[in-house]
Amino acid sequence: MLGAGACYNPVGFHGCHQGVLQSLHSSTTFGFRHTQKCCQKKNTGYLDHCLVPYKRSQLPLLQEPESEEVVQLSLPEEQKSSVSTVTVGLSTVLLCGIQGTLRPPVIWKRNGIVLNFLDLEDINDFGDDGSLYITKVTTIHMGNYTCHAYGYEDLYQTHILQVNVPPVIIVYPETQAQEPGVSASLKCHADGIPIPKISWLKNGMDILPKLSKQISLIETDPIPVKLHYDKSHDQVWVLSWGDSNKTHPTLQMISQASGGEEHQITHSPFERVDDFFIPSTNLIITHVRFGFIFLRSELAVHKIDLETVARIKTIGLKNYSCVPVSMAYTHLGGYYFVQCHGKNISSSQPQVIIDSVTDAVIGYNSEITGTPYISPDGRFVVSADEHTGIIRVQTITFQGTLQLTLELQTSLHISSVAFHPSFTEANQYYIYASSRSQTDLLFVELSTGRMEVLKNLKDPIQPDNWPWSNNNRVVINSGMFGQHMLTPSKDSLFVLNGKQNTLHCEVSDVKRGNTVVWVGEGPYLKEGFLHQVEGSQSRNDRFLQHPWNPAGLSHGTIIPWADIRE
């Protein structure tokens, strides 16, 4: 139930609150003197603090006290900012430090969005004392929360919520045998918040990898152009155009994708699907519940439940004139970055940020344009503008704040960006960027901004010969412990040594080989999917690639494989 009041503001008074005239006493202490009822009069020339909606159950009406009674609100200087730390998966309580006699009800905000009136699963109890309760905290909850007394936004307290994540560790290889005198190499990767420090202990378990081989074919709708493996639900999502004019697009799911039984494909209920986005998992976020679909030329994104394949809500972008083109997600602070097109698709338009906690649009990502890419640990956002050639790097702190750390002007019409772990610094990354029209590949060290250009990697596939997306020249890394990068040209495939930043080898006679998947780490090929449309499969070194012919396409196939040893 909603209530509202109308009031006026005589000269010399701060405003009125639910029928009570208020006066300002100091910058850190607010008081109001109850001298008369102000909401019984309506003077449009003095309307100030009125028509503020509230829930009666959460914001009870204040009773009119006796005349001349003064109510003060105060917040000690040392409590204006408070830092709280909680471990992921636990619950936490944020206490509002604003005190005072007959203090109005407390309002909580996150990213400027009022939380009191939202029906959230994890933020749903504000308590009689104005406390904010968050259940089952995850990394999306990190960030800044503010509280203020209803009607007094100038006096507020900021709570900085930090979320700790216990370390998750991967060791490669788990076992190995070497002759005496021969060098051995062990690699370890750990992720967590705060960043874990790695130390080595001797002696471990002998675990031999399982060897198996399986190939099967699955028929999809005509012209499958995009697929994504949803590890959380063990299903593959496939977007098909129906024909080259996109007149009958469909979105399909392959369930139990990693199972050995015969795979089944089902259709989603969504029509006019132009694209979709499903966040990737990592060492910290091992389960993803929601995805998004974009409908053709629509100023909105549609949130879907990946398990039930039901539409949850529509998040409108009309106020930002944003037709979504692509999305990226970081679990640090829980931000979605949306690349936008306006009426003129050839011009750059600022990205829009959505808060995954409230599903509210926060606003523009400053003036940053282009396609957003997120580092595997969620700490870096790299935005590449294919029109201007500008690459911008933002860092996300463990407090959930965004900071612009690097801006580079290039002459490349950027096609694709890939991250690779740094070989010299822990928890840092390199990026490689390919060009839609040039033979060069750009290398950037994010920690220093150092740039190099790998030249003469031959011409990419012509954009007209790759109508499926703007990524007519992909660049792919070889995994967490790999040291190679791979990028195709029009007629061959280049394998790069990322550690030395040099060309490793060229695989000739691979025409239009722009669908490339590295499989596994080290000498064992692990489970993956290869997109094939009326073409042939070939394998070189430790990757599978597929050159396809865009002409004369009919039905496509998906080829799963698992644990194929070289």
Side-chain angles (χ1 to χ4, degrees):
M1 183 175 181
L2 297 178
C7 53
Y8 78 102
N9 182 20
V11 176
F13 290 93
H14 177 64
C16 75
H17 177 71
Q18 298 184 5
V20 179
L21 197 63
Q22 305 160 23
S23 61
L24 179 64
H25 289 285
S26 72
S27 60
T28 59
T29 301
F30 286 94
F32 53 87
R33 190 178 301 277
H34 301 275
T35 57
Q36 58 178 303
K37 291 184 178 179
C38 65
C39 287
Q40 292 180 349
K41 298 182 180 180
K42 295 183 180 180
N43 186 332
T44 57
Y46 293 96
L47 282 176
D48 179 48
H49 184 76
C50 49
L51 297 177
V52 180
Y54 58 89
K55 288 186 177 179
R56 295 190 187 277
S57 61
Q58 293 181 330
L59 303 179
L61 290 171
L62 297 179
Q63 299 297 322
E64 179 93 11
E66 296 297 328
S67 178
E68 299 301 322
E69 183 179 358
V70 176
V71 177
Q72 291 186 331
L73 300 177
S74 63
L75 177 65
E77 187 71 25
E78 66 272 12
Q79 294 185 21
K80 285 189 174 182
S81 180
S82 174
V83 178
S84 301
T85 302
V86 62
T87 301
V88 67
L90 300 181
S91 299
T92 190
V93 180
L94 303 182
L95 302 176
C96 188
I98 297 175
Q99 301 296 326
T101 306
L102 292 181
R103 180 189 68 181
V106 172
I107 301 297
W108 285 91
K109 288 185 177 182
R110 170 186 161 97
N111 292 322
I113 305 299
V114 176
L115 300 176
N116 300 63
F117 310 141
L118 300 180
D119 185 17
L120 301 176
E121 290 183 6
D122 42 6
I123 307 177
N124 55 13
D125 188 352
F126 295 82
D128 295 335
D129 60 351
S131 301
L132 180 69
Y133 291 78
I134 305 178
T135 58
K136 294 184 179 179
V137 172
T138 70
T139 54
I140 71 171
H141 295 111
M142 65 173 52
N144 293 354
Y145 297 79
T146 62
C147 68
H148 67 271
Y150 177 63
Y152 289 90
E153 294 193 19
D154 291 338
L155 181 65
Y156 62 91
Q157 182 183 32
T158 300
H159 286 264
I160 302 170
L161 181 61
Q162 299 182 171
V163 180
N164 285 351
V165 180
V168 181
I169 300 174
I170 293 180
V171 178
Y172 176 79
E174 294 182 1
T175 65
Q176 65 175 305
Q178 297 286 3
E179 296 291 334
V182 177
S183 298
S185 176
L186 296 174
K187 296 181 180 180
C188 178
H189 180 86
D191 204 352
I193 301 175
I195 296 173
K197 294 182 179 179
I198 297 174
S199 60
W200 287 91
L201 300 177
K202 189 178 178 180
N203 294 328
M205 297 177 57
D206 290 331
I207 302 176
L208 296 178
K210 297 180 180 179
L211 305 178
S212 63
K213 182 175 181 179
Q214 178 183 340
I215 295 178
S216 61
L217 301 179
I218 301 175
E219 185 173 319
T220 70
D221 286 343
I223 310 189
V225 295
K226 178 179 178 178
L227 57 85
H228 177 88
Y229 176 56
D230 172 18
K231 185 178 180 180
S232 301
H233 303 91
D234 192 25
Q235 58 189 6
V236 173
W237 292 71
V238 185
L239 176 65
S240 298
W241 282 358
D243 57 39
S244 57
N245 295 319
K246 300 187 186 180
T247 56
H248 301 289
T250 58
L251 189 58
Q252 307 152 85
M253 295 84 64
I254 303 171
S255 58
Q256 297 180 338
S258 64
E261 63 277 359
E262 183 177 350
H263 298 285
Q264 300 294 327
I265 189 166
T266 58
H267 286 78
S268 74
F270 311 116
E271 299 179 350
R272 298 189 300 112
V273 177
D274 196 54
D275 205 347
F276 68 95
F277 170 73
I278 298 175
S280 299
T281 57
N282 55 34
L283 291 181
I284 294 177
I285 302 300
T286 59
H287 184 82
V288 174
R289 181 178 174 185
F290 302 109
F292 292 86
I293 59 173
F294 316 150
L295 302 186
R296 184 176 301 171
S297 302
E298 188 168 276
L299 301 169
V301 294
H302 300 269
K303 186 177 183 179
I304 60 174
D305 189 309
L306 296 176
E307 184 172 347
T308 63
V309 197
R311 191 193 315 250
I312 302 298
K313 65 174 61 175
T314 297
I315 302 175
L317 303 174
K318 186 176 181 180
N319 291 341
Y320 301 89
S321 301
C322 174
V323 177
V325 179
S326 67
M327 289 180 71
Y329 173 73
T330 174
H331 62 283
L332 299 181
Y335 298 120
Y336 292 106
F337 298 85
V338 184
Q339 180 190 9
C340 300
H341 275 172
K343 295 181 180 180
N344 183 7
I345 63 174
S346 63
S347 62
S348 300
Q349 185 162 329
Q351 297 170 359
V352 170
I353 300 179
I354 298 174
D355 183 353
S356 66
V357 175
T358 61
D359 288 331
V361 180
I362 299 174
Y364 289 118
N365 183 15
S366 185
E367 297 181 354
I368 293 179
T369 57
T371 305
Y373 300 87
I374 305 291
S375 63
D377 61 1
R379 292 175 51 229
F380 298 98
V381 186
V382 175
S383 299
D385 191 319
E386 64 177 90
H387 301 294
T388 65
I390 296 177
I391 297 177
R392 296 181 176 93
V393 180
Q394 293 170 285
T395 301
I396 303 174
T397 69
F398 289 144
Q399 289 76 41
T401 60
L402 276 169
Q403 299 175 350
L404 180 64
T405 55
L406 194 62
E407 182 170 323
L408 305 171
Q409 178 67 61
T410 75
S411 59
L412 302 176
H413 296 286
I414 297 167
S415 170
S416 180
V417 172
F419 291 87
H420 202 292
S422 170
F423 294 103
T424 58
E425 296 181 74
N427 304 106
Q428 288 292 334
Y429 288 90
Y430 308 139
I431 63 168
Y432 290 83
S434 60
S435 172
R436 298 191 66 199
S437 57
Q438 301 179 33
T439 63
D440 300 339
L441 189 71
L442 179 68
F443 163 86
V444 181
E445 187 176 47
L446 294 188
S447 61
T448 64
R450 178 174 65 91
M451 292 193 304
E452 294 182 14
V453 176
L454 283 71
K455 294 182 174 293
N456 302 321
L457 300 182
K458 295 187 176 179
D459 291 324
I461 302 169
Q462 291 298 315
D464 292 342
N465 292 331
W466 194 261
W468 325 111
S469 69
N470 289 331
N471 300 332
N472 61 309
R473 184 167 199 165
V474 299
V475 56
I476 306 293
N477 67 34
S478 55
M480 186 180 300
F481 298 119
Q483 68 177 41
H484 292 92
M485 307 292 294
L486 187 146
T487 185
S489 68
K490 181 172 60 176
D491 298 314
S492 60
L493 210 57
F494 290 93
V495 180
L496 310 172
N497 186 322
K499 195 169 185 178
Q500 300 176 358
N501 245 7
T502 57
L503 176 63
H504 178 70
C505 66
E506 178 183 0
V507 183
S508 303
D509 298 324
V510 180
K511 298 182 183 299
R512 297 174 180 172
N514 200 40
T515 301
V516 181
V517 180
W518 282 95
V519 187
E521 314 284 352
Y524 296 103
L525 298 180
K526 298 183 180 179
E527 185 176 294
F529 284 84
L530 174 65
H531 189 178
Q532 177 176 345
V533 183
E534 287 197 2
S536 60
Q537 173 190 353
S538 65
R539 183 165 69 88
N540 288 287
D541 197 24
R542 291 186 295 113
F543 55 86
L544 294 176
Q545 60 84 26
H546 168 69
W548 64 8
N549 185 348
L553 300 180
S554 56
H555 288 278
T557 57
I558 307 298
I559 301 180
W561 68 86
D563 295 335
I564 308 173
R565 186 167 183 173
E566 290 184 323

